Amino acid sequence: MLNIPNTLTLLRILLIPAFLARFLTADSPESHLAAAGILVVSGLTDMLDGLIARKFHMTTQLGRILDPAADKLTLAAVMAALWCQWPRLWPLYAVFLLKEVLMLAGGLVLHRRRVEIAGARWFGKLSTVLFYVTVVVIVAHPELGKAMVAKMLLVLLAFMAFSLVRYGLLFLQMVRR
């Protein structure tokens, strides 16, 4: 069902190529800010779709699948773009992508077993907010050095690893039921 929250999620997916085009061709502070602005809009649509879905009882199974898929596509695109900028940080990007692949695989297993997929939890929402804040700062400030970017991504990775563990435990409980 294509309702307002699902439409916002689709918009977020459509923002991915816009971000990539702007960031990968950025040649001025203004173009970096424009790329960061696209990420801000993406983050806001991510928050809005969930708020609207819950407040107006517009949650759907499609939304429960589409929203995390949009999250993963956005994260993968941003990590790929950062990889182009700072290729030596590839181990960090690989861990981010591995985490997302594991979460996606878990969601698909639950879906195939016809287990109702629970909505995002606080730790997942916190990781998403931290992801957007961190990458917006990195994208908006190309003058940050590799060491600072690495530190920021390590902090983000720690929160995302915590989220992965918490979701993993939740996944095990759902499969056992």
Side-chain angles (χ1 to χ4, degrees), residues 15 19 33-47 132-133 135-137:
L15 288 172
F19 163 75
L33 286 175
I38 292 169
L39 287 177
V40 169
V41 171
S42 178
L44 291 174
T45 60
D46 189 16
M47 287 185 349
Y132 276 106
V133 168
V135 297
V136 164
V137 169

Side-chain angles (χ1 to χ4, degrees), residues 62-126:
L62 174 64
R64 288 186 191 105
I65 294 168
L66 199 56
D67 184 66
D71 290 344
K72 282 146 191 40
L73 289 170
T74 301
L75 186 131
V78 169
M79 288 297 127
L82 293 178
W83 193 333
C84 290
Q85 191 81 8
W86 293 282
R88 288 191 169 184
L89 297 178
W90 70 265
L92 290 175
Y93 310 131
V95 173
F96 279 112
L97 294 176
L98 176 64
K99 176 239 180 224
E100 293 304 317
V101 166
L102 289 173
M103 297 237 351
L104 184 60
L108 290 173
V109 167
L110 291 176
H111 181 69
R112 291 189 84 213
R113 291 184 178 196
R114 301 200 189 284
V115 175
E116 178 141 353
I117 298 171
R121 300 293 202 257
W122 69 266
F123 42 87
K125 291 177 185 178
L126 176 62

